[in-house]
Amino acid sequence: MSILIYAEYAEGKFKKTTLELASYAKKIAGETGTTVTALTINANDAATQLGKYGVDKVLNVKSDKLTAFNAKAYADAIKQAAEKESSKIILFNSTTDSLYIAPLVAVALEAGYASNVVAQPVSLSPFQVKRNAFSNKAFNITEITTDVKVLAIGKNSYGVFENAVSATEEEFSPSLNDADFSVKVESSEKVSGKVTIADAEIVVSGGRGLKGPENWGMLEELASVLGAATACSKPVSDLGWRPHSEHVGQTGKPVAANLYIAIGISGAIQHIAGINSSKVKVVINSDADAPFFKVADYGVVGDAFEIVPKLTEKIKAFKAQNS
């Protein structure tokens, strides 16, 4: 019996969220006297990379059919891996792909499913987990009574911890049927050469206070200095100032960064709900009554066009002195 994780692999490496998932699984495995198995798809050097974080065995699916993401096929492969390993706990991270797959796996295994899990289980018997609720405004304790449990762990909620073991790797060939491929991917476009919102430790986000797309250069420069991803509020993406892929909030991409910097964003409730899991929130706004200040850890009242360039220069100077 083994705890099973789905290890997302892209562009030659495993995502930070996957390493966090492995760390989370290793902790449970230590408490239950079990091992950690990772199911991954078309990965290279998987055992070496995942073994550093406590994964004991890797099941690597090598298939040209699975080069493009396919939720039904991926879910079917994970289900079969769970049955092969007699796994009673199956763990996913909270990326868009994983949140699509996890419920399909839970249904297939007749398992209880808990999303937005933010900590190690409160109790293993009965099995209880702490979850975000009400758009990250509260927590609840959920008890899962089924034999098999499926959990989706919130981004940046546990941390990445090295716990090196000698991992083994074997090629796994699940039986996939034609029905799994009823939806076909014709093409996909991926952002390259920049930090993505999903993987970012720091996010620099702009709103209508920046007055137009021509002023985004100062925000991008700040993000570059910080090694951050750029994001925006819904009105900005609706106006076409920035791509919809950068829209964060309840109706856009959720953000759980270590640092979220909001520049010229008033703080509509939907936006705050989508970024509320971020650990530190910094707000720069000329309106002292902007709602965002009520939830900010740090707030600066002033003109972003004066503050942001000065902040960027200060960070550059600090990095130069401490490099």
Side-chain angles (χ1 to χ4, degrees):
M1 188 170 70
S2 179
I3 296 171
L4 181 69
I5 70 170
Y6 168 51
E8 288 193 44
Y9 180 84
E11 298 179 355
K13 63 181 181 180
F14 290 97
K15 295 184 176 183
K16 173 182 174 287
T17 50
T18 294
L19 306 182
E20 184 172 20
L21 197 64
S23 302
Y24 185 99
K26 189 62 175 179
K27 176 69 173 177
I28 299 179
E31 294 179 355
T32 56
T34 55
T35 57
V36 179
T37 298
L39 183 285
T40 191
I41 296 174
N42 292 325
N44 295 318
D45 197 31
T48 301
Q49 293 186 60
L50 295 177
K52 293 179 182 178
Y53 301 92
V55 172
D56 298 285
K57 181 165 73 171
V58 176
L59 300 178
N60 198 349
V61 180
K62 296 283 190 178
S63 172
D64 291 338
K65 287 185 175 181
L66 300 178
T67 300
F69 175 73
N70 182 304
K72 289 180 69 176
Y74 278 37
D76 199 2
I78 295 165
K79 168 186 175 289
Q80 292 178 47
E83 291 172 338
K84 176 183 183 299
E85 297 296 307
S86 300
S87 299
K88 301 301 183 184
I89 300 175
I90 299 102
L91 303 177
F92 293 85
N93 56 35
S94 290
T95 63
T96 301
D97 287 355
S98 282
L99 289 176
Y100 198 166
I101 301 169
L104 299 177
V105 174
V107 170
L109 293 172
E110 298 184 350
Y113 171 52
S115 60
N116 299 319
V117 176
V118 296
Q120 283 285 313
V122 175
S123 168
L124 294 172
S125 184
F127 194 89
Q128 298 175 329
V129 290
K130 182 180 180 181
R131 305 171 59 226
N132 272 328
F134 303 115
S135 298
N136 302 321
K137 293 186 180 67
F139 299 105
N140 69 26
I141 302 299
T142 296
E143 183 172 326
I144 303 178
T145 59
T146 52
D147 184 42
V148 180
K149 289 93 174 163
V150 175
L151 308 180
I153 312 303
K155 295 177 185 176
N156 214 20
S157 61
Y158 182 69
V160 176
F161 304 97
E162 288 196 16
N163 195 337
V165 298
S166 180
T168 61
E169 181 173 342
E170 64 182 70
E171 191 165 321
F172 178 57
S173 301
S175 176
L176 303 176
N177 56 56
D178 292 339
D180 289 331
F181 298 93
S182 56
V183 176
K184 297 185 182 296
V185 177
E186 295 292 337
S187 65
S188 63
E189 296 180 8
K190 294 184 178 181
V191 176
S192 60
K194 60 186 292 189
V195 181
T196 63
I197 294 171
D199 299 325
E201 299 271 357
I202 304 172
V203 174
V204 177
S205 190
R208 281 184 294 183
L210 290 179
K211 299 181 181 180
E214 67 277 4
N215 296 319
W216 234 261
M218 67 176 187
L219 186 145
E220 291 178 325
E221 185 179 8
L222 175 60
S224 177
V225 171
L226 291 171
T230 56
C232 68
S233 61
K234 185 177 187 297
V236 165
S237 63
D238 287 345
L239 288 166
W241 293 1
R242 301 298 291 178
H244 284 282
S245 61
E246 291 192 1
H247 165 208
V248 299
Q250 190 173 30
T251 56
K253 292 183 178 179
V255 171
N258 284 331
L259 173 62
Y260 183 79
I261 303 175
I263 302 169
I265 301 175
S266 61
I269 189 170
Q270 294 89 347
H271 188 90
I272 292 172
I275 61 89
N276 219 26
S277 292
S278 296
K279 288 184 168 56
V280 177
K281 295 175 275 294
V282 176
V283 174
I284 301 172
N285 202 300
S286 59
D287 180 6
D289 295 321
F292 222 140
F293 284 116
K294 294 179 181 179
V295 299
D297 296 286
Y298 301 94
V300 181
V301 178
D303 186 347
F305 294 96
E306 295 181 6
I307 295 167
V308 173
K310 290 180 180 178
L311 177 60
T312 301
E313 290 307 312
K314 288 289 186 181
I315 295 171
K316 285 181 178 178
F318 176 83
K319 292 179 72 173
Q321 291 174 3
N322 294 275
S323 61

